[in-house]
Amino acid sequence: GAVVSQHPSRVICKSGTSVKIECRSLDFQATTMFWYRQFPKQSLMLMATSNEGSKATYEQGVEKDKFLINHASLTLSTLTVTSAHPEDSSFYICSAPRSRGADTQYFGPGTRLTVL
Amino acid sequence: KQEVTQIPAALSVPEGENLVLNCSFTDSAIYNLQWFRQDPGKGLTSLLLIQSSQREQTSGRLNASLDKSSGRSTLYIAASQPGDSATYLCAVSGNQFYFGTGTSLTVIP
């Protein structure tokens, strides 16, 4: 069964609104979670590394003030797309390593965001 | 339900060798297939993306092929280097992502 869940699986929102996406590890604790996005016909790209209890690390070109990441507990990381615009429409996916530094990562099923 | 399998699970080669990693999937109704590199504790690094209408993609020493009808993809790495040591994941994209279990590659200097 799934060990990483995401909610919601799909969301449609109006331009200018904020959308929160949750990523949960279901039967293990994740001090680190990763957030990715994939624009249509493009590769899945790492956006940021979410660290429990500390600030997230963002990849180059990703606006930290637009994509707010909160990793307040060992089983939950949230990604908030603030003031969403149509160009933010994408597939967002999270992953978490089974343990610190582990090779094995578990991936969430993804969230498809459509901004009208 | 889509199932993605990668063979072998682990591979160890001497530096300089050419090698092939395999990925197979059960449902050919995919949008694209991607190959990623994963270093321990790190996020994925995208290597190559093949759209469903394409047969192959190349980037430097890497070449990925896609045979959608047979549900197979290969990642060819030429002249392997110790820095290539990592886990390589393939993923197919349909309505959601389906990841393979990965091939752990070790290139011995």
Side-chain angles (χ1 to χ4, degrees), chain A residues 12-49:
Chain A
I12 300 173
C13 68
K14 293 182 178 180
S15 184
T17 61
S18 294
V19 175
K20 180 184 285 188
I21 303 170
E22 295 183 347
C23 177
R24 291 182 185 273
S25 57
L26 299 181
D27 62 353
F28 66 101
Q29 294 181 332
T31 56
T32 300
M33 290 184 176
F34 301 100
W35 286 97
Y36 305 85
R37 65 182 171 186
Q38 182 184 42
F39 295 112
K41 298 188 177 181
Q42 295 186 28
S43 294
L44 187 73
M45 299 297 291
L46 179 65
M47 296 176 65
T49 302

PDB file of all heavy atoms in Angstrom, chain A residues 12-49:
ATOM      1  N   ILE A  12      -8.617  22.638  -8.727  1.00  0.00           N
ATOM      2  CA  ILE A  12      -8.818  23.704  -9.704  1.00  0.00           C
ATOM      3  C   ILE A  12      -9.123  24.972  -8.930  1.00  0.00           C
ATOM      4  O   ILE A  12      -9.993  24.967  -8.056  1.00  0.00           O
ATOM      5  CB  ILE A  12      -9.971  23.372 -10.667  1.00  0.00           C
ATOM      6  CG1 ILE A  12      -9.670  22.074 -11.420  1.00  0.00           C
ATOM      7  CG2 ILE A  12     -10.203  24.516 -11.649  1.00  0.00           C
ATOM      8  CD1 ILE A  12     -10.824  21.566 -12.273  1.00  0.00           C
ATOM      9  N   CYS A  13      -8.425  26.031  -9.216  1.00  0.00           N
ATOM     10  CA  CYS A  13      -8.651  27.260  -8.467  1.00  0.00           C
ATOM     11  C   CYS A  13      -8.599  28.459  -9.396  1.00  0.00           C
ATOM     12  O   CYS A  13      -8.135  28.369 -10.541  1.00  0.00           O
ATOM     13  CB  CYS A  13      -7.613  27.414  -7.355  1.00  0.00           C
ATOM     14  SG  CYS A  13      -5.944  27.718  -7.943  1.00  0.00           S
ATOM     15  N   LYS A  14      -9.082  29.569  -8.882  1.00  0.00           N
ATOM     16  CA  LYS A  14      -9.051  30.807  -9.651  1.00  0.00           C
ATOM     17  C   LYS A  14      -7.713  31.505  -9.467  1.00  0.00           C
ATOM     18  O   LYS A  14      -7.060  31.363  -8.423  1.00  0.00           O
ATOM     19  CB  LYS A  14     -10.173  31.738  -9.205  1.00  0.00           C
ATOM     20  CG  LYS A  14     -11.570  31.233  -9.529  1.00  0.00           C
ATOM     21  CD  LYS A  14     -12.618  32.239  -9.093  1.00  0.00           C
ATOM     22  CE  LYS A  14     -14.013  31.760  -9.445  1.00  0.00           C
ATOM     23  NZ  LYS A  14     -15.056  32.737  -9.019  1.00  0.00           N
ATOM     24  N   SER A  15      -7.335  32.246 -10.471  1.00  0.00           N
ATOM     25  CA  SER A  15      -6.096  33.000 -10.408  1.00  0.00           C
ATOM     26  C   SER A  15      -6.112  33.950  -9.222  1.00  0.00           C
ATOM     27  O   SER A  15      -7.129  34.598  -8.948  1.00  0.00           O
ATOM     28  CB  SER A  15      -5.924  33.783 -11.708  1.00  0.00           C
ATOM     29  OG  SER A  15      -4.684  34.457 -11.725  1.00  0.00           O
ATOM     30  N   GLY A  16      -5.017  33.995  -8.495  1.00  0.00           N
ATOM     31  CA  GLY A  16      -4.910  34.890  -7.354  1.00  0.00           C
ATOM     32  C   GLY A  16      -5.157  34.225  -6.016  1.00  0.00           C
ATOM     33  O   GLY A  16      -4.840  34.795  -4.960  1.00  0.00           O
ATOM     34  N   THR A  17      -5.709  33.049  -6.039  1.00  0.00           N
ATOM     35  CA  THR A  17      -5.952  32.340  -4.780  1.00  0.00           C
ATOM     36  C   THR A  17      -4.731  31.517  -4.388  1.00  0.00           C
ATOM     37  O   THR A  17      -3.823  31.298  -5.195  1.00  0.00           O
ATOM     38  CB  THR A  17      -7.168  31.420  -4.891  1.00  0.00           C
ATOM     39  OG1 THR A  17      -6.923  30.445  -5.915  1.00  0.00           O
ATOM     40  CG2 THR A  17      -8.416  32.206  -5.238  1.00  0.00           C
ATOM     41  N   SER A  18      -4.719  31.067  -3.148  1.00  0.00           N
ATOM     42  CA  SER A  18      -3.630  30.222  -2.649  1.00  0.00           C
ATOM     43  C   SER A  18      -4.120  28.793  -2.489  1.00  0.00           C
ATOM     44  O   SER A  18      -5.280  28.564  -2.127  1.00  0.00           O
ATOM     45  CB  SER A  18      -3.113  30.753  -1.308  1.00  0.00           C
ATOM     46  OG  SER A  18      -2.504  32.013  -1.487  1.00  0.00           O
ATOM     47  N   VAL A  19      -3.244  27.883  -2.761  1.00  0.00           N
ATOM     48  CA  VAL A  19      -3.595  26.464  -2.702  1.00  0.00           C
ATOM     49  C   VAL A  19      -2.573  25.738  -1.831  1.00  0.00           C
ATOM     50  O   VAL A  19      -1.367  25.920  -2.013  1.00  0.00           O
ATOM     51  CB  VAL A  19      -3.592  25.843  -4.117  1.00  0.00           C
ATOM     52  CG1 VAL A  19      -3.838  24.341  -4.040  1.00  0.00           C
ATOM     53  CG2 VAL A  19      -4.620  26.526  -4.996  1.00  0.00           C
ATOM     54  N   LYS A  20      -3.072  24.929  -0.918  1.00  0.00           N
ATOM     55  CA  LYS A  20      -2.192  24.156  -0.046  1.00  0.00           C
ATOM     56  C   LYS A  20      -2.248  22.689  -0.430  1.00  0.00           C
ATOM     57  O   LYS A  20      -3.331  22.107  -0.569  1.00  0.00           O
ATOM     58  CB  LYS A  20      -2.595  24.301   1.412  1.00  0.00           C
ATOM     59  CG  LYS A  20      -1.694  23.505   2.369  1.00  0.00           C
ATOM     60  CD  LYS A  20      -2.170  23.575   3.800  1.00  0.00           C
ATOM     61  CE  LYS A  20      -1.869  24.904   4.414  1.00  0.00           C
ATOM     62  NZ  LYS A  20      -2.175  24.910   5.873  1.00  0.00           N
ATOM     63  N   ILE A  21      -1.078  22.095  -0.581  1.00  0.00           N
ATOM     64  CA  ILE A  21      -0.962  20.669  -0.899  1.00  0.00           C
ATOM     65  C   ILE A  21      -0.249  19.982   0.259  1.00  0.00           C
ATOM     66  O   ILE A  21       0.792  20.449   0.708  1.00  0.00           O
ATOM     67  CB  ILE A  21      -0.172  20.449  -2.202  1.00  0.00           C
ATOM     68  CG1 ILE A  21      -0.828  21.197  -3.365  1.00  0.00           C
ATOM     69  CG2 ILE A  21      -0.067  18.960  -2.523  1.00  0.00           C
ATOM     70  CD1 ILE A  21       0.023  21.214  -4.629  1.00  0.00           C
ATOM     71  N   GLU A  22      -0.837  18.893   0.728  1.00  0.00           N
ATOM     72  CA  GLU A  22      -0.259  18.164   1.843  1.00  0.00           C
ATOM     73  C   GLU A  22       0.450  16.896   1.383  1.00  0.00           C
ATOM     74  O   GLU A  22      -0.028  16.200   0.480  1.00  0.00           O
ATOM     75  CB  GLU A  22      -1.347  17.776   2.850  1.00  0.00           C
ATOM     76  CG  GLU A  22      -2.008  18.944   3.530  1.00  0.00           C
ATOM     77  CD  GLU A  22      -3.015  18.481   4.571  1.00  0.00           C
ATOM     78  OE1 GLU A  22      -3.362  17.285   4.572  1.00  0.00           O
ATOM     79  OE2 GLU A  22      -3.443  19.332   5.374  1.00  0.00           O
ATOM     80  N   CYS A  23       1.548  16.601   2.031  1.00  0.00           N
ATOM     81  CA  CYS A  23       2.287  15.361   1.782  1.00  0.00           C
ATOM     82  C   CYS A  23       2.505  14.691   3.135  1.00  0.00           C
ATOM     83  O   CYS A  23       3.090  15.285   4.040  1.00  0.00           O
ATOM     84  CB  CYS A  23       3.625  15.669   1.108  1.00  0.00           C
ATOM     85  SG  CYS A  23       4.671  14.226   0.831  1.00  0.00           S
ATOM     86  N   ARG A  24       2.017  13.464   3.257  1.00  0.00           N
ATOM     87  CA  ARG A  24       2.123  12.753   4.532  1.00  0.00           C
ATOM     88  C   ARG A  24       2.856  11.432   4.364  1.00  0.00           C
ATOM     89  O   ARG A  24       2.594  10.685   3.417  1.00  0.00           O
ATOM     90  CB  ARG A  24       0.740  12.447   5.093  1.00  0.00           C
ATOM     91  CG  ARG A  24      -0.034  13.654   5.548  1.00  0.00           C
ATOM     92  CD  ARG A  24      -1.378  13.264   6.148  1.00  0.00           C
ATOM     93  NE  ARG A  24      -2.163  14.441   6.486  1.00  0.00           N
ATOM     94  CZ  ARG A  24      -2.088  15.090   7.625  1.00  0.00           C
ATOM     95  NH1 ARG A  24      -1.256  14.664   8.557  1.00  0.00           N
ATOM     96  NH2 ARG A  24      -2.824  16.163   7.847  1.00  0.00           N
ATOM     97  N   SER A  25       3.745  11.149   5.286  1.00  0.00           N
ATOM     98  CA  SER A  25       4.333   9.809   5.353  1.00  0.00           C
ATOM     99  C   SER A  25       3.453   9.007   6.295  1.00  0.00           C
ATOM    100  O   SER A  25       3.134   9.450   7.398  1.00  0.00           O
ATOM    101  CB  SER A  25       5.778   9.875   5.859  1.00  0.00           C
ATOM    102  OG  SER A  25       5.854  10.503   7.123  1.00  0.00           O
ATOM    103  N   LEU A  26       3.032   7.837   5.850  1.00  0.00           N
ATOM    104  CA  LEU A  26       1.962   7.125   6.545  1.00  0.00           C
ATOM    105  C   LEU A  26       2.442   6.173   7.634  1.00  0.00           C
ATOM    106  O   LEU A  26       1.749   5.970   8.613  1.00  0.00           O
ATOM    107  CB  LEU A  26       1.106   6.375   5.534  1.00  0.00           C
ATOM    108  CG  LEU A  26       0.410   7.250   4.502  1.00  0.00           C
ATOM    109  CD1 LEU A  26      -0.433   6.409   3.567  1.00  0.00           C
ATOM    110  CD2 LEU A  26      -0.430   8.329   5.170  1.00  0.00           C
ATOM    111  N   ASP A  27       3.556   5.551   7.457  1.00  0.00           N
ATOM    112  CA  ASP A  27       3.979   4.604   8.492  1.00  0.00           C
ATOM    113  C   ASP A  27       5.444   4.767   8.853  1.00  0.00           C
ATOM    114  O   ASP A  27       6.077   3.847   9.351  1.00  0.00           O
ATOM    115  CB  ASP A  27       3.697   3.163   8.059  1.00  0.00           C
ATOM    116  CG  ASP A  27       4.466   2.779   6.817  1.00  0.00           C
ATOM    117  OD1 ASP A  27       5.119   3.661   6.220  1.00  0.00           O
ATOM    118  OD2 ASP A  27       4.412   1.599   6.437  1.00  0.00           O
ATOM    119  N   PHE A  28       5.969   5.943   8.580  1.00  0.00           N
ATOM    120  CA  PHE A  28       7.343   6.219   8.978  1.00  0.00           C
ATOM    121  C   PHE A  28       7.505   7.719   9.155  1.00  0.00           C
ATOM    122  O   PHE A  28       6.692   8.504   8.676  1.00  0.00           O
ATOM    123  CB  PHE A  28       8.339   5.688   7.939  1.00  0.00           C
ATOM    124  CG  PHE A  28       8.277   6.382   6.600  1.00  0.00           C
ATOM    125  CD1 PHE A  28       9.210   7.346   6.257  1.00  0.00           C
ATOM    126  CD2 PHE A  28       7.286   6.067   5.679  1.00  0.00           C
ATOM    127  CE1 PHE A  28       9.156   7.982   5.025  1.00  0.00           C
ATOM    128  CE2 PHE A  28       7.222   6.691   4.444  1.00  0.00           C
ATOM    129  CZ  PHE A  28       8.164   7.653   4.116  1.00  0.00           C
ATOM    130  N   GLN A  29       8.549   8.083   9.841  1.00  0.00           N
ATOM    131  CA  GLN A  29       8.827   9.491  10.063  1.00  0.00           C
ATOM    132  C   GLN A  29       9.840   9.985   9.036  1.00  0.00           C
ATOM    133  O   GLN A  29      10.822   9.309   8.744  1.00  0.00           O
ATOM    134  CB  GLN A  29       9.378   9.702  11.476  1.00  0.00           C
ATOM    135  CG  GLN A  29       8.360   9.388  12.556  1.00  0.00           C
ATOM    136  CD  GLN A  29       8.897   9.627  13.953  1.00  0.00           C
ATOM    137  OE1 GLN A  29      10.089   9.538  14.194  1.00  0.00           O
ATOM    138  NE2 GLN A  29       8.002   9.952  14.868  1.00  0.00           N
ATOM    139  N   ALA A  30       9.568  11.135   8.501  1.00  0.00           N
ATOM    140  CA  ALA A  30      10.417  11.680   7.449  1.00  0.00           C
ATOM    141  C   ALA A  30      10.943  13.048   7.867  1.00  0.00           C
ATOM    142  O   ALA A  30      10.199  14.024   7.898  1.00  0.00           O
ATOM    143  CB  ALA A  30       9.641  11.789   6.140  1.00  0.00           C
ATOM    144  N   THR A  31      12.216  13.102   8.189  1.00  0.00           N
ATOM    145  CA  THR A  31      12.803  14.388   8.533  1.00  0.00           C
ATOM    146  C   THR A  31      13.022  15.236   7.287  1.00  0.00           C
ATOM    147  O   THR A  31      13.158  16.451   7.372  1.00  0.00           O
ATOM    148  CB  THR A  31      14.146  14.197   9.255  1.00  0.00           C
ATOM    149  OG1 THR A  31      15.011  13.403   8.428  1.00  0.00           O
ATOM    150  CG2 THR A  31      13.952  13.491  10.587  1.00  0.00           C
ATOM    151  N   THR A  32      13.048  14.588   6.157  1.00  0.00           N
ATOM    152  CA  THR A  32      13.235  15.284   4.888  1.00  0.00           C
ATOM    153  C   THR A  32      12.172  14.825   3.903  1.00  0.00           C
ATOM    154  O   THR A  32      11.869  13.636   3.828  1.00  0.00           O
ATOM    155  CB  THR A  32      14.628  14.988   4.293  1.00  0.00           C
ATOM    156  OG1 THR A  32      15.629  15.413   5.211  1.00  0.00           O
ATOM    157  CG2 THR A  32      14.821  15.711   2.970  1.00  0.00           C
ATOM    158  N   MET A  33      11.624  15.759   3.196  1.00  0.00           N
ATOM    159  CA  MET A  33      10.714  15.452   2.088  1.00  0.00           C
ATOM    160  C   MET A  33      11.116  16.332   0.913  1.00  0.00           C
ATOM    161  O   MET A  33      11.671  17.413   1.101  1.00  0.00           O
ATOM    162  CB  MET A  33       9.258  15.698   2.470  1.00  0.00           C
ATOM    163  CG  MET A  33       8.708  14.712   3.475  1.00  0.00           C
ATOM    164  SD  MET A  33       6.941  14.999   3.787  1.00  0.00           S
ATOM    165  CE  MET A  33       6.558  13.637   4.874  1.00  0.00           C
ATOM    166  N   PHE A  34      10.835  15.842  -0.268  1.00  0.00           N
ATOM    167  CA  PHE A  34      11.182  16.569  -1.482  1.00  0.00           C
ATOM    168  C   PHE A  34       9.915  16.925  -2.248  1.00  0.00           C
ATOM    169  O   PHE A  34       8.976  16.142  -2.316  1.00  0.00           O
ATOM    170  CB  PHE A  34      12.091  15.729  -2.375  1.00  0.00           C
ATOM    171  CG  PHE A  34      13.371  15.316  -1.706  1.00  0.00           C
ATOM    172  CD1 PHE A  34      13.506  14.046  -1.182  1.00  0.00           C
ATOM    173  CD2 PHE A  34      14.432  16.199  -1.606  1.00  0.00           C
ATOM    174  CE1 PHE A  34      14.680  13.649  -0.561  1.00  0.00           C
ATOM    175  CE2 PHE A  34      15.614  15.816  -0.988  1.00  0.00           C
ATOM    176  CZ  PHE A  34      15.738  14.542  -0.461  1.00  0.00           C
ATOM    177  N   TRP A  35       9.919  18.107  -2.822  1.00  0.00           N
ATOM    178  CA  TRP A  35       8.799  18.551  -3.656  1.00  0.00           C
ATOM    179  C   TRP A  35       9.274  18.730  -5.090  1.00  0.00           C
ATOM    180  O   TRP A  35      10.323  19.332  -5.346  1.00  0.00           O
ATOM    181  CB  TRP A  35       8.228  19.864  -3.133  1.00  0.00           C
ATOM    182  CG  TRP A  35       7.418  19.695  -1.893  1.00  0.00           C
ATOM    183  CD1 TRP A  35       7.825  19.873  -0.607  1.00  0.00           C
ATOM    184  CD2 TRP A  35       6.047  19.296  -1.822  1.00  0.00           C
ATOM    185  NE1 TRP A  35       6.795  19.609   0.263  1.00  0.00           N
ATOM    186  CE2 TRP A  35       5.694  19.260  -0.447  1.00  0.00           C
ATOM    187  CE3 TRP A  35       5.074  18.974  -2.775  1.00  0.00           C
ATOM    188  CZ2 TRP A  35       4.414  18.915  -0.015  1.00  0.00           C
ATOM    189  CZ3 TRP A  35       3.811  18.632  -2.343  1.00  0.00           C
ATOM    190  CH2 TRP A  35       3.489  18.602  -0.973  1.00  0.00           C
ATOM    191  N   TYR A  36       8.463  18.202  -6.010  1.00  0.00           N
ATOM    192  CA  TYR A  36       8.773  18.282  -7.432  1.00  0.00           C
ATOM    193  C   TYR A  36       7.576  18.856  -8.170  1.00  0.00           C
ATOM    194  O   TYR A  36       6.447  18.817  -7.688  1.00  0.00           O
ATOM    195  CB  TYR A  36       9.033  16.888  -8.014  1.00  0.00           C
ATOM    196  CG  TYR A  36      10.094  16.085  -7.313  1.00  0.00           C
ATOM    197  CD1 TYR A  36       9.786  15.323  -6.197  1.00  0.00           C
ATOM    198  CD2 TYR A  36      11.401  16.065  -7.786  1.00  0.00           C
ATOM    199  CE1 TYR A  36      10.753  14.574  -5.558  1.00  0.00           C
ATOM    200  CE2 TYR A  36      12.371  15.305  -7.152  1.00  0.00           C
ATOM    201  CZ  TYR A  36      12.044  14.568  -6.043  1.00  0.00           C
ATOM    202  OH  TYR A  36      12.997  13.817  -5.405  1.00  0.00           O
ATOM    203  N   ARG A  37       7.833  19.345  -9.359  1.00  0.00           N
ATOM    204  CA  ARG A  37       6.726  19.723 -10.231  1.00  0.00           C
ATOM    205  C   ARG A  37       7.062  19.337 -11.664  1.00  0.00           C
ATOM    206  O   ARG A  37       8.228  19.234 -12.039  1.00  0.00           O
ATOM    207  CB  ARG A  37       6.423  21.215 -10.156  1.00  0.00           C
ATOM    208  CG  ARG A  37       7.539  22.123 -10.666  1.00  0.00           C
ATOM    209  CD  ARG A  37       7.154  23.579 -10.512  1.00  0.00           C
ATOM    210  NE  ARG A  37       8.292  24.454 -10.801  1.00  0.00           N
ATOM    211  CZ  ARG A  37       8.269  25.771 -10.639  1.00  0.00           C
ATOM    212  NH1 ARG A  37       7.168  26.377 -10.205  1.00  0.00           N
ATOM    213  NH2 ARG A  37       9.332  26.485 -10.913  1.00  0.00           N
ATOM    214  N   GLN A  38       6.026  19.112 -12.416  1.00  0.00           N
ATOM    215  CA  GLN A  38       6.208  18.786 -13.815  1.00  0.00           C
ATOM    216  C   GLN A  38       5.222  19.590 -14.640  1.00  0.00           C
ATOM    217  O   GLN A  38       3.996  19.402 -14.522  1.00  0.00           O
ATOM    218  CB  GLN A  38       6.001  17.297 -14.095  1.00  0.00           C
ATOM    219  CG  GLN A  38       6.239  16.954 -15.548  1.00  0.00           C
ATOM    220  CD  GLN A  38       5.952  15.507 -15.865  1.00  0.00           C
ATOM    221  OE1 GLN A  38       4.982  14.958 -15.398  1.00  0.00           O
ATOM    222  NE2 GLN A  38       6.811  14.905 -16.665  1.00  0.00           N
ATOM    223  N   PHE A  39       5.750  20.460 -15.485  1.00  0.00           N
ATOM    224  CA  PHE A  39       4.915  21.172 -16.442  1.00  0.00           C
ATOM    225  C   PHE A  39       4.650  20.249 -17.613  1.00  0.00           C
ATOM    226  O   PHE A  39       5.406  19.304 -17.867  1.00  0.00           O
ATOM    227  CB  PHE A  39       5.610  22.455 -16.898  1.00  0.00           C
ATOM    228  CG  PHE A  39       5.787  23.458 -15.788  1.00  0.00           C
ATOM    229  CD1 PHE A  39       7.050  23.755 -15.313  1.00  0.00           C
ATOM    230  CD2 PHE A  39       4.691  24.082 -15.211  1.00  0.00           C
ATOM    231  CE1 PHE A  39       7.224  24.666 -14.289  1.00  0.00           C
ATOM    232  CE2 PHE A  39       4.860  24.987 -14.184  1.00  0.00           C
ATOM    233  CZ  PHE A  39       6.120  25.280 -13.711  1.00  0.00           C
ATOM    234  N   PRO A  40       3.564  20.499 -18.329  1.00  0.00           N
ATOM    235  CA  PRO A  40       3.217  19.613 -19.456  1.00  0.00           C
ATOM    236  C   PRO A  40       4.377  19.411 -20.424  1.00  0.00           C
ATOM    237  O   PRO A  40       5.039  20.366 -20.819  1.00  0.00           O
ATOM    238  CB  PRO A  40       2.047  20.348 -20.118  1.00  0.00           C
ATOM    239  CG  PRO A  40       1.431  21.123 -19.009  1.00  0.00           C
ATOM    240  CD  PRO A  40       2.570  21.545 -18.131  1.00  0.00           C
ATOM    241  N   LYS A  41       4.624  18.174 -20.731  1.00  0.00           N
ATOM    242  CA  LYS A  41       5.645  17.773 -21.694  1.00  0.00           C
ATOM    243  C   LYS A  41       7.061  18.113 -21.243  1.00  0.00           C
ATOM    244  O   LYS A  41       7.980  18.154 -22.062  1.00  0.00           O
ATOM    245  CB  LYS A  41       5.366  18.380 -23.073  1.00  0.00           C
ATOM    246  CG  LYS A  41       4.056  17.918 -23.673  1.00  0.00           C
ATOM    247  CD  LYS A  41       3.888  18.378 -25.107  1.00  0.00           C
ATOM    248  CE  LYS A  41       2.591  17.840 -25.691  1.00  0.00           C
ATOM    249  NZ  LYS A  41       2.400  18.242 -27.088  1.00  0.00           N
ATOM    250  N   GLN A  42       7.235  18.353 -19.967  1.00  0.00           N
ATOM    251  CA  GLN A  42       8.562  18.612 -19.449  1.00  0.00           C
ATOM    252  C   GLN A  42       8.911  17.594 -18.367  1.00  0.00           C
ATOM    253  O   GLN A  42       8.059  16.847 -17.901  1.00  0.00           O
ATOM    254  CB  GLN A  42       8.649  20.036 -18.888  1.00  0.00           C
ATOM    255  CG  GLN A  42       8.488  21.115 -19.934  1.00  0.00           C
ATOM    256  CD  GLN A  42       8.723  22.496 -19.376  1.00  0.00           C
ATOM    257  OE1 GLN A  42       9.471  22.674 -18.414  1.00  0.00           O
ATOM    258  NE2 GLN A  42       8.097  23.480 -19.992  1.00  0.00           N
ATOM    259  N   SER A  43      10.172  17.577 -17.983  1.00  0.00           N
ATOM    260  CA  SER A  43      10.625  16.633 -16.967  1.00  0.00           C
ATOM    261  C   SER A  43      10.112  17.004 -15.590  1.00  0.00           C
ATOM    262  O   SER A  43       9.817  18.169 -15.303  1.00  0.00           O
ATOM    263  CB  SER A  43      12.153  16.611 -16.921  1.00  0.00           C
ATOM    264  OG  SER A  43      12.705  16.110 -18.096  1.00  0.00           O
ATOM    265  N   LEU A  44      10.006  16.001 -14.748  1.00  0.00           N
ATOM    266  CA  LEU A  44       9.743  16.230 -13.332  1.00  0.00           C
ATOM    267  C   LEU A  44      10.999  16.865 -12.744  1.00  0.00           C
ATOM    268  O   LEU A  44      12.093  16.313 -12.875  1.00  0.00           O
ATOM    269  CB  LEU A  44       9.448  14.899 -12.648  1.00  0.00           C
ATOM    270  CG  LEU A  44       8.980  14.959 -11.203  1.00  0.00           C
ATOM    271  CD1 LEU A  44       7.553  15.477 -11.136  1.00  0.00           C
ATOM    272  CD2 LEU A  44       9.083  13.581 -10.565  1.00  0.00           C
ATOM    273  N   MET A  45      10.837  18.018 -12.122  1.00  0.00           N
ATOM    274  CA  MET A  45      11.998  18.749 -11.619  1.00  0.00           C
ATOM    275  C   MET A  45      11.876  18.997 -10.129  1.00  0.00           C
ATOM    276  O   MET A  45      10.798  19.343  -9.631  1.00  0.00           O
ATOM    277  CB  MET A  45      12.136  20.088 -12.356  1.00  0.00           C
ATOM    278  CG  MET A  45      12.331  19.955 -13.852  1.00  0.00           C
ATOM    279  SD  MET A  45      13.841  19.102 -14.306  1.00  0.00           S
ATOM    280  CE  MET A  45      15.059  20.296 -13.798  1.00  0.00           C
ATOM    281  N   LEU A  46      12.996  18.854  -9.430  1.00  0.00           N
ATOM    282  CA  LEU A  46      13.019  19.121  -8.003  1.00  0.00           C
ATOM    283  C   LEU A  46      12.816  20.606  -7.762  1.00  0.00           C
ATOM    284  O   LEU A  46      13.484  21.441  -8.372  1.00  0.00           O
ATOM    285  CB  LEU A  46      14.358  18.664  -7.418  1.00  0.00           C
ATOM    286  CG  LEU A  46      14.579  18.889  -5.932  1.00  0.00           C
ATOM    287  CD1 LEU A  46      13.603  18.046  -5.109  1.00  0.00           C
ATOM    288  CD2 LEU A  46      16.014  18.562  -5.556  1.00  0.00           C
ATOM    289  N   MET A  47      11.891  20.920  -6.857  1.00  0.00           N
ATOM    290  CA  MET A  47      11.635  22.305  -6.486  1.00  0.00           C
ATOM    291  C   MET A  47      12.377  22.685  -5.214  1.00  0.00           C
ATOM    292  O   MET A  47      13.003  23.733  -5.119  1.00  0.00           O
ATOM    293  CB  MET A  47      10.144  22.548  -6.235  1.00  0.00           C
ATOM    294  CG  MET A  47       9.247  22.381  -7.417  1.00  0.00           C
ATOM    295  SD  MET A  47       7.525  22.590  -6.914  1.00  0.00           S
ATOM    296  CE  MET A  47       7.511  24.304  -6.417  1.00  0.00           C
ATOM    297  N   ALA A  48      12.214  21.808  -4.215  1.00  0.00           N
ATOM    298  CA  ALA A  48      12.745  22.177  -2.902  1.00  0.00           C
ATOM    299  C   ALA A  48      12.867  20.947  -2.022  1.00  0.00           C
ATOM    300  O   ALA A  48      12.207  19.930  -2.255  1.00  0.00           O
ATOM    301  CB  ALA A  48      11.818  23.198  -2.246  1.00  0.00           C
ATOM    302  N   THR A  49      13.708  21.076  -1.036  1.00  0.00           N
ATOM    303  CA  THR A  49      13.874  20.057  -0.007  1.00  0.00           C
ATOM    304  C   THR A  49      13.288  20.588   1.281  1.00  0.00           C
ATOM    305  O   THR A  49      13.676  21.673   1.751  1.00  0.00           O
ATOM    306  CB  THR A  49      15.361  19.722   0.182  1.00  0.00           C
ATOM    307  OG1 THR A  49      15.902  19.287  -1.065  1.00  0.00           O
ATOM    308  CG2 THR A  49      15.544  18.636   1.228  1.00  0.00           C
TER     309      THR A  49
END
